[in-house]
Amino acid sequence: MSGSAFPASPLAEGPPVLLGTSAFGQDERSFPVYDAYWEGGGRAFDTAWLYGHAYGPGCCERSFGAWTRSRGLEKEVWVLAKGAHTPECLPDRVEVQLTESLERMERDGAALYMLHRDNPEVPVGEFVTVLADLVGRGVIGGYGLSNWPLERVREAVAYARAHGLVTPSGVSNQFSLIDMVHPIYPGTETSNDPAWRAWLADGAVPLYPWASQGRGAHALADPAELRTGPLAESWYSEANEQRLRRAREFAEDRGISSTGVALAWTLSQPFPVVALIGPRQPEEVRDSLAAASYRLTAAERDWLETGTGALPTR
C-alpha cells in the first residue's frame, strides 16, 4: 500500500474523531461498538501495540482487524497506530513494533503512525529519520509523536525541515476541558497550557488529543465525586470541579450531554483537532458522534473553561 492509497484524513471528511480501541480485546464487546461508530459515519480508529498488553498482548489489534475483515472494510478504515512504547522507545524498535501491529491487524500499512512515548536520551533526529523512511517506503502515510513535550516536538519539526524530510503529521497528547493535574500513566504529557496552545495555533501540526472528554469525569452523578473518587488523583482540582458544574449547566441549557459538551469544547479550539474518544457502549458512541458536529463560540468556550461572566445566551 502506498501513501497515496491511504483513505482521506479524518480532518478532510467525516466527524473529526477517532474511536479508541484500547478497551476492546474481545470481539463480542468490540464489534457492536465499532458497528455503531461506522453506521454513524465514523471512519477513523486509534490503535496501539500496547493496547490490551496486560490481559492478552495484541488482543485489541487482533479484534479490530477481525472486525475490519468481517465487514469488508480493510481498505476503507483510517488507522492511527502507535508503537515503540517505553521501555522499547528506541529507533531500532520502531519498525519492529509497527510490523507486529500490522501483522496482528492483518494490514499492510497505517495511515498515521506515532511513537507512543518519547525517550529524551535519544536525539530526535534518529527517530525522525526512521519514521520518515517508513513514509518514503509507503508503509505509513505519515508519522506523529504521542506524549512528547513541546520542546522535543519543535526540535523534530525543525530537524525534518533542515534535512529535507517529511515533517510530523500530528501530535497526540492529553487535552480536554478539565486539566490532567497528574499523569494518568507514566510518561504521559498534556498540551493544555498556553505555550502548547500558542504553538498549535500556528497550524503546523494537528492535535490528536486522548482523554478528550475528561476520562468520564463529565458522566459523574455529582461533580463533587471528583474530589474523592477514582479519578481524583489525576483530575481533581477546584477549577476542574467547577468546569464540570459549568459543563452540566451548559448541557441542560443546550439539550446535549455533559460529555458531549466536553467533546464540543475540545473540537472548538482555534487550531486543528481530531479527538480520540473512548465510548464503551453503542449508545455512548452515538452520543459522541452527535456532539462531534456541535461547535462552540469563543465566548462559550472561554466561559466553560474560566467561568468568567455568565452563561452566554444563544
Side-chain angles (χ1 to χ4, degrees):
M1 178 184 291
S2 66
S4 61
F6 293 110
S9 164
L11 279 172
E13 57 184 52
V17 296
L18 277 73
L19 180 63
T21 63
S22 65
F24 303 110
Q26 299 171 314
D27 295 355
E28 58 269 28
R29 296 189 64 241
S30 65
F31 281 29
V33 173
Y34 297 162
D35 285 340
Y37 179 66
W38 193 264
E39 291 164 4
R43 297 293 181 266
F45 294 80
D46 162 59
T47 74
W49 180 90
L50 190 74
Y51 289 168
H53 192 78
Y55 52 91
C59 61
C60 295
E61 289 177 321
R62 291 190 184 92
S63 184
F64 171 70
W67 176 80
T68 63
R69 293 189 302 279
S70 70
R71 304 306 191 250
L73 299 173
E74 300 98 316
K75 302 297 184 182
E76 297 182 54
V77 294
W78 191 97
V79 176
L80 161 60
K82 299 187 296 296
H85 193 285
T86 307
E88 296 190 64
C89 190
L90 299 165
D92 63 0
R93 297 299 294 170
V94 172
E95 188 167 3
V96 171
Q97 288 201 354
L98 170 61
T99 299
E100 289 180 357
S101 289
L102 296 178
E103 288 174 349
R104 292 166 177 174
M105 293 185 282
E106 296 189 36
R107 301 184 62 80
D108 56 7
L112 181 59
Y113 186 64
M114 292 190 178
L115 301 186
H116 210 165
R117 292 289 190 274
D118 185 20
N119 182 347
E121 296 183 4
V122 176
V124 296
E126 295 185 26
F127 282 129
V128 170
T129 299
V130 168
L131 292 163
D133 177 66
L134 290 168
V135 176
R137 287 156 48 198
V139 181
I140 57 177
Y143 72 91
L145 310 163
S146 181
N147 296 299
W148 275 47
L150 179 55
E151 180 181 357
R152 293 268 290 177
V153 173
R154 283 174 166 163
E155 189 177 348
V157 173
Y159 182 93
R161 288 174 175 168
H163 291 80
L165 301 175
V166 62
T167 57
S169 300
V171 173
S172 184
N173 288 357
Q174 199 284 315
F175 184 85
S176 60
L177 174 58
I178 61 172
D179 295 329
M180 182 176 70
V181 297
H182 183 271
I184 300 173
Y185 306 112
T188 52
E189 295 276 344
T190 178
S191 290
N192 203 350
D193 64 48
W196 262 110
R197 293 191 193 194
W199 188 79
L200 290 165
D202 289 338
V205 180
L207 179 67
Y208 291 76
W210 53 269
S212 63
Q213 294 170 286
R215 201 73 173 181
H218 292 272
L220 294 173
D222 183 344
E225 294 178 28
L226 190 64
R227 293 173 177 260
T228 57
L231 297 174
E233 181 180 3
S234 291
W235 299 102
Y236 177 71
S237 70
E238 180 61 31
N240 278 346
E241 183 179 337
Q242 293 306 313
R243 288 173 186 135
L244 294 186
R245 296 187 185 282
R246 287 193 295 274
R248 183 161 303 194
E249 180 182 351
F250 189 98
E252 292 173 354
D253 184 73
R254 301 299 200 265
I256 62 176
S257 70
S258 294
T259 302
V261 170
L263 179 59
W265 183 90
T266 298
L267 294 173
S268 297
Q269 299 303 310
F271 46 79
V273 175
V274 182
L276 277 58
I277 59 174
R280 305 295 177 87
Q281 301 294 333
E283 57 270 23
E284 294 175 352
V285 171
R286 289 186 278 270
D287 180 75
S288 291
L289 290 177
S293 62
Y294 197 105
R295 291 295 176 272
L296 306 176
T297 66
E300 291 170 336
R301 187 184 69 228
D302 293 345
W303 178 80
L304 284 165
E305 182 175 11
T306 67
T308 302
L311 171 66
T313 58
R314 283 181 285 183

